[in-house]
Amino acid sequence: MNMEERTFVAIKPDAVKRGLMGKIISRFEDKGFKIIAMKLHQVTIEQASAHYAEHKDKPFYGRLISYITSGPILAMVVKGYSAVSCVRHIVGATDPDKADIGSIRADYGQVTQYNVIHASDSIESAERETKIYFDESELCD
């Protein structure tokens, strides 16, 4: 049986600069998900390093840190049934050219490095990432 769960989503700097926040938020609301926390936030180096810790030894790590700290993100916690997997499906594949038609990344992404949105890939990642950007008291659950 599908259970309600929470997941972390971040609309990345490129999408914020391009004015896509409302269009992206509506995708989740239209599907029936509840946004239980949201804030426009300038990511610090420390937060970026914690968020992308699993990529620290990869050649693209520096670009990830540089991009996520290049401007504000819209950080959100989204709640609903099978939120992690369903939100990832709505978001689409990392490479916008390979993302399913109609997904956020296919519709708004231009290149893989600037793929407009992040969504947690597991319940554990969602919990870890939420704690990087939100205090428990900020969640309106």
Side-chain angles (χ1 to χ4, degrees):
M1 181 176 166
N2 293 338
M3 301 292 295
E4 270 201 329
E5 56 194 34
R6 301 186 316 201
T7 193
F8 177 78
V9 175
I11 299 175
K12 294 182 179 180
D14 182 54
V16 172
K17 289 175 192 168
R18 291 170 51 204
L20 299 172
M21 292 184 297
K23 290 178 180 181
I24 292 172
I25 291 166
S26 69
R27 300 282 185 101
F28 303 116
E29 291 181 323
D30 289 348
K31 185 69 175 175
F33 288 106
K34 180 179 177 185
I35 297 170
I36 63 169
M38 178 172 25
K39 65 180 166 186
L40 194 60
H41 180 73
Q42 181 63 51
V43 178
T44 66
I45 296 291
E46 293 78 17
Q47 288 172 318
S49 297
H51 188 139
Y52 291 119
E54 68 271 18
H55 300 301
K56 188 171 185 169
D57 296 325
K58 296 181 180 166
F60 55 83
Y61 176 76
R63 289 191 310 270
L64 283 175
I65 301 301
S66 178
Y67 175 48
I68 201 72
T69 60
S70 68
I73 66 166
L74 185 67
M76 298 185 285
V77 179
V78 177
K79 182 178 179 180
Y81 291 99
S82 300
V84 172
S85 62
C86 191
V87 165
R88 298 249 329 152
H89 184 72
I90 293 167
V91 165
T94 303
D95 182 342
D97 292 338
K98 296 178 181 164
D100 289 341
I101 303 272
S103 69
I104 291 169
R105 288 178 174 150
D107 289 351
Y108 303 119
Q110 296 174 325
V111 294
T112 301
Q113 184 179 344
Y114 306 111
N115 64 23
V116 303
I117 192 164
H118 165 82
S120 300
D121 62 3
S122 68
I123 292 172
E124 296 76 23
S125 291
E127 290 172 5
R128 182 182 64 79
E129 292 165 357
T130 296
K131 289 176 183 173
I132 293 169
Y133 298 98
F134 293 97
D135 293 326
E136 191 67 29
S137 64
E138 295 177 288
L139 306 180
C140 300
D141 197 2

